[in-house]
């Protein structure tokens, strides 16, 4: 199938590369010429395990191309994914400016293509003259957008078409994509559920595929597009064959092939547009809530002398609750949870509906980022003049994403308190420098250089390298023997045996 993905960012590039791997002809479009040039040169603009190889293989197979020309890409494609960013505005609402621009440009391209098919003649009914040439398109909202955006995008596309039409020609859309009077387009919601660090596995081996539409022809086309994923009947990519299928708090030992054998069919959920849009927001909000709940309980555990690790293990074995996303620590970060929870709160306010649970989820997460500072003060008393080392910078492992990373909150607080801050991340040093050029910290190349002369080390990101650290060697170069584990993933026994003081979260 001919596919266009507009937005070669995290979601768009991963989606496009995976669809190309399955044999579709994919054009990834982006407004940034530098990004397109980078992709054409065989590079990717961010770190994601396996993505570079997947992109290179798909390009080599002739299934993936990159372009700045949205109009041409749309005209060549049957399915058009909108995968542009929707970052938060200052008031918490999502910034939909990129969606507006893209939707109108899609409409303009569709109208130009329709007029070309009609031999340059505009028609008063907005339909094609050449009945033998279908030019219907499916426009897929992959960007995370508020409830009601499907109808809104349809309006924007129609406005874009209207701008390209001769005077007196009206745009008509229909609920059907087949028949002699096929409409120009149909809008479908298809939310993404990708986790940074395991996005390719999540794309090719998803827990479910959600389609929001009332158009049976559009639904059938989307099912056809995703059929290889639904039936799991494609070959496991060679570079993923030994990659663990990650979850939030464990690395599942099952390979991709084993997952295929355990779950032969992926649920294909068809619903209305508003429900599909809300599924995405509700899913992320609930995951954020689980983490905030674990963090709130961790504070109570410290007061009562309990161990949050045992508490979450005990409640997580209840199948109604589940063990995933019950990790206590320094809170969640990244581009999704905060943005989506804020957007959901703002959507509810439009209906004069209060969301105290969602608001508490945010406040608990904000409070949790200050926990490490409190523990430092308890142990060192005075922070001014101390040297503090951060183990990790990205908001989670297996990515270089620094958006809303807890490390930045902690660094800025330490600098404000007069500390000298050092940091080492196996992947994210360069990204942190690039996005925070004024951050007055020292970047290190390995754990030992980080630990040298430090009064304390703070575990921020749960990279495997840190789990396997040589604590005996680290103890030899530190100024003071303090390790604060912000993710509860280090071996307390090994750290204490090395003569170091260990502090965790909630125990």
């Amino acid at each position: 199938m001919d596919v266009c993905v507009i937005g070669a960012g995290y979601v768009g590039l991963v989606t496009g590369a995976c669809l190309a791997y399955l044999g579709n002809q994919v054009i990834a479009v982006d407004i940034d010429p530098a990004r397109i040039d980078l992709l054409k040169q065989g590079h990717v603009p961010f770190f994601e395990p396996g993505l570079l190889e997947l992109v290179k293989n798909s390009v080599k197979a002739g299934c993936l191309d990159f372009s700045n020309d949205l109009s041409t890409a749309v005209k060549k494609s049957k399915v058009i994914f909108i995968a542009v960013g929707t970052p938060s505005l200052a008031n918490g609402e999502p910034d939909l400016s990129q969606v507006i621009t893209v939707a109108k440009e899609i409409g303009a391209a569709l109208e130009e293509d329709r007029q070309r098919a009609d031999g340059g003649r505009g028609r008063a009914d907005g339909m094609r003259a050449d009945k033998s040439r279908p030019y219907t398109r499916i426009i897929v909202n992959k960007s995370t957008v508020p409830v009601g955006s499907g109808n809104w995008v349809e309006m924007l596309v129609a406005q874009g078409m209207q701008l390209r039409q001769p005077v007196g020609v009206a745009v008509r859309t229909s609920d059907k994509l087949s028949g002699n009077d096929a409409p120009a387009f149909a809008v479908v919601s298809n939310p993404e559920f990708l986790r940074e660090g395991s996005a390719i596995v999540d794309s090719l081996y998803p827990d479910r595929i959600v389609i929001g539409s009332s158009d049976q022809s559009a639904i059938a086309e989307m099912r056809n597009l995703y059929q290889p994923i639904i039936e799991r009947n494609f070959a496991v990519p060679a570079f993923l064959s030994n990659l663990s299928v990650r979850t939030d708090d464990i690395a599942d030992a099952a390979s991709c092939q084993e997952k295929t054998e355990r779950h032969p069919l992926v649920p294909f959920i068809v619903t209305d547009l508003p429900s599909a849009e809300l599924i995405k927001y509700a899913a992320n909000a609930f995951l954020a809530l689980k983490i905030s709940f674990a963090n709130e309980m961790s504070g109570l555990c410290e007061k009562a002398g309990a161990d949050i690790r045992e508490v979450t293990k005990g409640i997580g074995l209840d199948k109604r609750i589940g063990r995933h996303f019950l990790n206590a620590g320094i809170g969640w970060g990244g581009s999704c949870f905060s943005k989506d929870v804020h957007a959901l709160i703002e959507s509810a306010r439009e209906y004069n509906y209060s969301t105290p649970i969602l608001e508490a989820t945010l406040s608990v997460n904000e409070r949790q980022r200050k926990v490490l500072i409190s523990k430092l003060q308890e142990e060192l008393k005075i922070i001014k003049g101390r040297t503090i080392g951060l183990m990790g910078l990205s908001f989670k492992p297996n990515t270089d994403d620094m958006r809303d990373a807890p490390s930045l909150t902690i660094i800025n607080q330490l600098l404000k308190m007069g500390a000298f801050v050092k940091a080492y991340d196996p992947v994210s040093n360069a990204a942190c420098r690039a996005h925070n050029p004024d951050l007055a910290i020292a970047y290190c190349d390995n754990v030992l250089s980080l630990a040298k002369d430090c009064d304390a080390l703070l575990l921020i990101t749960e990279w495997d390298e840190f789990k396997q650290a040589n604590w005996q060697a680290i103890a030899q170069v530190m100024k003071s023997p303090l390790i604060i584990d912000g993710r509860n993933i280090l071996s307390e026994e090994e750290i204490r045996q090395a003569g170091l003081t260990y502090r965790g979260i909630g125990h």
Side-chain angles (χ1 to χ4, degrees):
M1 193 176 293
D2 293 321
V3 176
C4 168
V5 180
I6 303 173
Y10 189 85
V11 172
L13 186 56
V14 171
T15 298
C18 288
L19 289 174
Y21 173 75
L22 297 175
N24 298 286
Q25 294 297 128
V26 179
I27 304 174
V29 178
D30 200 277
I31 195 174
D32 183 359
R35 171 162 293 201
I36 294 299
D37 289 342
L38 186 72
L39 289 166
K40 287 185 173 181
Q41 293 167 13
H43 304 287
V44 294
F46 50 84
F47 177 77
E48 175 65 32
L51 180 59
L52 178 59
E53 189 169 354
L54 185 68
V55 168
K56 285 184 175 180
N57 290 347
S58 297
V59 170
K60 184 177 180 181
C63 294
L64 180 61
D65 197 8
F66 307 102
S67 175
N68 292 121
D69 189 346
L70 182 149
S71 180
T72 300
V74 166
K75 293 170 186 176
K76 290 180 178 180
S77 303
K78 174 71 173 179
V79 180
I80 303 157
F81 284 89
I82 299 177
V84 295
T86 54
S88 291
L89 296 169
N91 64 357
E93 296 178 357
D95 181 356
L96 301 175
S97 58
Q98 294 183 65
V99 176
I100 295 172
T101 299
V102 165
K104 290 184 176 180
E105 289 183 8
I106 290 172
L110 294 182
E111 177 59 21
E112 289 173 2
D113 198 39
R114 185 182 67 80
Q115 291 181 16
R116 182 180 62 181
D118 291 342
R121 300 183 302 275
R123 289 173 52 89
D125 61 1
M127 312 311 287
R128 57 189 163 86
D130 180 6
K131 306 289 187 181
S132 66
R133 181 182 181 274
Y135 58 90
T136 54
R137 304 314 206 280
I138 301 171
I139 301 171
V140 184
N141 257 340
K142 201 72 172 176
S143 299
T144 302
V145 290
V147 177
S149 293
N151 296 333
W152 175 67
V153 167
E154 181 177 300
M155 178 194 72
L156 293 170
V157 175
Q159 288 176 353
M161 296 183 72
Q162 189 72 50
L163 292 173
R164 286 291 193 274
Q165 290 179 338
V167 176
V169 176
V171 176
R172 281 181 56 194
T173 59
S174 165
D175 287 336
K176 297 185 181 212
L177 289 178
S178 58
N180 291 331
D181 287 327
F185 65 92
V187 175
V188 170
S189 176
N190 175 214
E192 54 84 16
F193 302 99
L194 307 184
R195 297 166 298 166
E196 294 190 45
S198 55
I200 295 174
V201 172
D202 290 344
S203 294
L204 295 176
Y205 302 88
D207 295 324
R208 76 288 202 194
I209 295 171
V210 176
I211 300 296
S213 177
S214 60
D215 191 301
Q216 295 305 311
S217 295
I219 293 167
E221 291 283 6
M222 293 302 293
R223 183 185 291 274
N224 183 48
L225 178 65
Y226 284 124
Q227 200 64 31
I229 294 177
I230 295 170
E231 297 183 354
R232 302 190 193 272
N233 59 7
F234 58 91
V236 177
F239 58 90
L240 287 184
S241 59
N242 296 319
L243 182 66
S244 294
V245 181
R246 290 184 57 85
T247 65
D248 170 64
D249 55 350
I250 63 169
D252 195 332
S255 67
C256 297
Q257 186 60 46
E258 289 171 332
K259 187 175 184 181
T260 298
E261 294 169 356
R262 293 199 313 269
H263 307 288
L265 291 178
V266 175
F268 187 78
I269 301 173
V270 178
T271 184
D272 55 85
L273 275 167
S275 295
E277 293 160 348
L278 192 54
I279 284 170
K280 167 63 177 179
Y281 278 125
N284 275 354
F286 187 71
L287 294 175
L289 169 63
K290 287 188 74 175
I291 297 171
S292 286
F293 178 81
N295 281 330
E296 187 160 283
M297 290 300 100
S298 73
L300 181 57
C301 283
E302 291 191 5
K303 299 292 185 182
D307 188 331
I308 189 62
R309 297 169 298 183
E310 299 301 322
V311 172
T312 54
K313 179 181 178 181
I315 65 175
L317 289 172
D318 187 325
K319 293 180 180 179
R320 298 169 300 175
I321 298 173
R323 65 180 185 258
H324 305 315
F325 282 80
L326 280 177
N327 287 339
I330 56 175
W332 38 263
S335 64
C336 292
F337 282 3
S338 180
K339 173 175 73 73
D340 291 354
V341 174
H342 275 105
L344 196 53
I345 291 172
E346 291 303 315
S347 292
R349 284 177 180 164
E350 291 182 6
Y351 298 95
N352 196 30
Y353 186 74
S354 63
T355 52
I357 292 177
L358 296 180
E359 292 168 7
T361 298
L362 292 173
S363 63
V364 169
N365 192 64
E366 182 179 354
R367 180 183 67 185
Q368 201 67 17
R369 294 188 178 191
K370 302 172 184 176
V371 166
L372 292 193
I373 303 296
S374 297
K375 291 182 181 294
L376 269 179
Q377 290 177 310
E378 290 172 6
E379 296 290 337
L380 300 179
K381 308 306 180 185
I382 303 298
I383 304 300
K384 190 181 298 292
R386 301 283 196 173
T387 298
I388 310 298
L390 270 65
M391 302 173 73
L393 289 166
S394 57
F395 84 94
K396 65 179 291 187
N398 297 323
T399 181
D400 61 353
D401 197 341
M402 292 296 302
R403 288 175 292 182
D404 196 31
S407 61
L408 297 177
T409 303
I410 293 168
I411 288 171
N412 285 318
Q413 184 61 31
L414 288 171
L415 292 175
K416 187 183 298 184
M417 298 173 74
F420 174 62
V421 180
K422 303 168 68 177
Y424 164 65
D425 189 288
V427 169
S428 305
N429 279 5
C432 189
R433 277 196 188 99
H435 295 293
N436 304 277
D438 298 326
L439 202 62
I441 67 173
Y443 294 93
C444 301
D445 296 327
N446 55 63
V447 174
L448 278 181
S449 64
L450 173 71
K452 184 174 173 58
D453 298 327
C454 274
D455 292 288
L457 288 179
L458 311 182
L459 189 284
I460 304 296
T461 313
E462 55 271 44
W463 289 97
D464 287 341
E465 179 179 341
F466 299 145
K467 299 176 188 177
Q468 301 159 6
N470 184 338
W471 297 108
Q472 295 288 346
I474 288 172
Q476 296 298 315
V477 298
M478 289 187 70
K479 185 176 180 180
S480 299
L482 177 60
I483 308 294
I484 301 182
D485 182 0
R487 298 294 185 181
N488 286 345
I489 55 97
L490 302 178
S491 170
E492 181 176 352
E493 181 180 359
E494 290 181 7
I495 291 173
R496 294 193 186 281
Q497 286 177 351
L500 297 163
T501 299
Y502 174 90
R503 290 290 302 273
I505 305 294
H507 63 94

